Amino acid sequence: MSEEELAEQAEKAEPEKGRWSHVEQLLAMVVDRIAMLEHVYVSAHVASKAKQPAPPEPVRRPMAKKARPKAKLNESSANFLFQLINGGAG
């Protein structure tokens, strides 16, 4: 394959549709743990007022679903939670 074809295949790659051996699974886990250690190290050494870096995304694995984005708290939900915490929603 040419360099262009390899690059195109890499862009379209969908590892969650393939099969991985135990070694590949373990290697992905090691990569994820190293990335998390790096994140913790960088987070610990960022100035206290600076923005904290985002946590790393794990390596995509076969048969794994994509992570859903976290729901954001809107003002009405925040008010409802505040009422619950401070004596009920009555």
Side-chain angles (χ1 to χ4, degrees), residues 9-24:
Q9 290 296 321
E11 286 294 318
K12 293 181 188 176
E14 297 180 87
E16 52 277 338
K17 290 186 177 178
R19 295 176 114 181
W20 283 11
S21 69
H22 291 287
V23 172
E24 290 168 321

Side-chain angles (χ1 to χ4, degrees), residues 39-57:
H39 172 71
V40 169
Y41 179 81
V42 170
S43 296
H45 290 87
V46 170
S48 60
K49 302 266 183 189
K51 182 179 177 187
Q52 292 291 320
E57 292 198 20

Side-chain angles (χ1 to χ4, degrees), residues 11-75:
E11 286 294 318
K12 293 181 188 176
E14 297 180 87
E16 52 277 338
K17 290 186 177 178
R19 295 176 114 181
W20 283 11
S21 69
H22 291 287
V23 172
E24 290 168 321
Q25 292 280 358
L26 289 170
L27 182 59
M29 183 179 69
V30 168
V31 169
D32 289 342
R33 300 281 169 90
I34 290 172
M36 187 55 73
L37 285 172
E38 179 183 24
H39 172 71
V40 169
Y41 179 81
V42 170
S43 296
H45 290 87
V46 170
S48 60
K49 302 266 183 189
K51 182 179 177 187
Q52 292 291 320
E57 292 198 20
V59 173
R60 293 182 355 201
R61 291 169 171 75
M63 309 307 285
K65 295 179 181 176
K66 290 186 178 182
R68 287 187 263 162
K70 292 183 180 179
K72 294 187 178 182
L73 189 63
N74 60 28
E75 190 172 337

